[in-house]
Amino acid sequence: MPARATDARRAAVLGSPIAHSLSPALHRAAYEALDLTGWTYDRFDVDEEALPAFLDGLGAEWAGLSLTMPLKRAVIPLLDEISETAASVEAVNTLVFAEDGRRVGDNTDIPGMVAALRERGIEQVGSAAILGAGATASSALAALARVCTGEIVAYVRSGARAAEMRQWAERLDVEVRIADWADAGDALSFPLVVATTPAGATDALAVSVPERPATLFDVLYDPWPTELAARWSMFGGAVVGGLDLLVHQAVLQVEQMTGRAPAPVEAMRRAGERALASGRTPHRT
């Protein structure tokens, strides 16, 4: 049911560490724009061990939760229902409490990636490259399955990471070619490059940006821009950043938790930009 403005409802982001999450800024901006005066959104430092008791202690006023590391997988056994999207990558970042009390898990990171690309006019590409093979890479692979019609190549640092990527590809029914990180400069010539690596990992690749780069999706938002993203922009390429992803996955969370759609994308983006400009060092959600 769509939320009424005066309903006293609660939502929050959980994770550990969580003190610098941008999610409160985004969700509160959405509530303000939607005139949901009775809604509040907080943050709680909760780890895997504390999660079951935290969930059991929530009352009927709770509408939903955003979940970040290390809870995205730990929450799954505690749910009554999980979406196909979340099950495909074994990661839940959104928990909505149904009217009958059921706990329903979803993953908005994947459609959030697709929406962020669509916002920049990218509906479909013929091939794509993924830099890295960590936790975010599985969501990137699932998103590329929706927009890439041809080859996907993942550039990884180790045999263990290569094995993990092959497992995700098999699970998602996507064909992926594995390449060594030493050749990661070759990735930059693809129509779409998705960088899923930690801060600093792609800095050395900046010198390899081609003269006419296509599109880079760098999931980082702090520090921003990364050296790779800055050089990519300098050469005229399109850049989608981590804040774009964070906003679009939060938009979907707001819509699910409140029943109000569309959520106010631009108001949420401005709130995220203000929070980043304030000098905080946010934690990726």
Side-chain angles (χ1 to χ4, degrees):
M1 292 288 292
R4 294 177 300 181
T6 56
D7 284 346
R9 304 301 306 276
R10 297 189 67 182
V13 59
L14 311 184
S16 186
I18 202 64
H20 300 292
S21 172
L22 281 183
S23 292
L26 302 182
H27 285 253
R28 290 169 185 169
Y31 299 164
E32 181 178 358
L34 294 170
D35 198 30
L36 295 175
T37 56
W39 283 63
T40 60
Y41 189 99
D42 301 296
R43 60 167 68 88
F44 294 94
D45 197 299
V46 178
D47 60 17
E48 300 104 314
E49 184 178 353
L51 182 61
F54 184 93
L55 295 181
D56 289 342
L58 299 181
E61 75 277 14
W62 282 85
L65 298 168
S66 307
L67 301 167
T68 185
M69 299 306 290
L71 305 180
K72 292 185 178 184
R73 189 164 294 175
V75 75
I76 293 176
L78 307 176
L79 301 174
D80 298 300
E81 183 180 333
I82 183 173
S83 70
E84 290 185 9
T85 301
S88 71
V89 291
E90 295 182 352
V92 167
N93 79 325
T94 307
L95 195 167
V96 175
F97 297 100
E99 290 186 14
D100 60 6
R102 288 179 305 115
R103 301 169 180 174
V104 181
D106 193 14
N107 184 305
T108 64
D109 287 330
I110 295 167
M113 285 186 177
V114 175
L117 288 168
R118 186 180 298 121
E119 185 178 46
R120 303 301 176 87
I122 301 165
E123 300 276 351
Q124 194 173 86
V125 293
S127 60
I130 299 175
L131 298 175
T136 307
S138 61
S139 293
L141 186 59
L144 288 177
R146 303 183 182 192
V147 301
C148 185
T149 60
E151 182 181 47
I152 299 174
V153 182
Y155 291 81
V156 303
R157 291 184 180 277
S158 68
R161 290 298 196 186
E164 289 177 15
M165 207 61 174
R166 290 190 183 96
Q167 289 175 356
W168 284 117
E170 182 176 354
R171 184 183 183 93
L172 294 165
D173 195 25
V174 178
E175 289 191 13
V176 175
R177 178 165 63 87
I178 305 298
D180 192 273
W181 185 262
D183 300 318
D186 298 340
L188 308 188
S189 62
F190 278 72
L192 174 60
V193 181
V194 184
T196 69
T197 51
T202 62
D203 287 357
L205 298 178
V207 296
S208 300
V209 173
E211 291 186 3
R212 293 182 176 84
T215 300
L216 170 69
F217 193 159
D218 195 323
V219 303
L220 291 173
Y221 60 83
D222 182 54
W224 188 261
T226 62
E227 289 192 24
L228 180 61
R231 190 168 179 86
W232 200 277
S233 295
M234 185 176 69
F235 277 64
V239 175
V240 185
L243 182 59
D244 298 309
L245 168 58
L246 188 61
V247 167
H248 280 285
Q249 64 85 27
V251 160
L252 296 170
Q253 290 182 337
V254 168
E255 291 175 353
Q256 289 189 31
M257 293 178 191
T258 67
R260 297 282 193 93
V265 178
E266 290 309 314
M268 296 171 71
R269 192 193 315 276
R270 289 193 298 270
E273 290 171 346
R274 287 194 299 269
L276 286 172
S278 71
R280 297 185 221 162
T281 305
H283 174 70
R284 185 190 302 170
T285 66

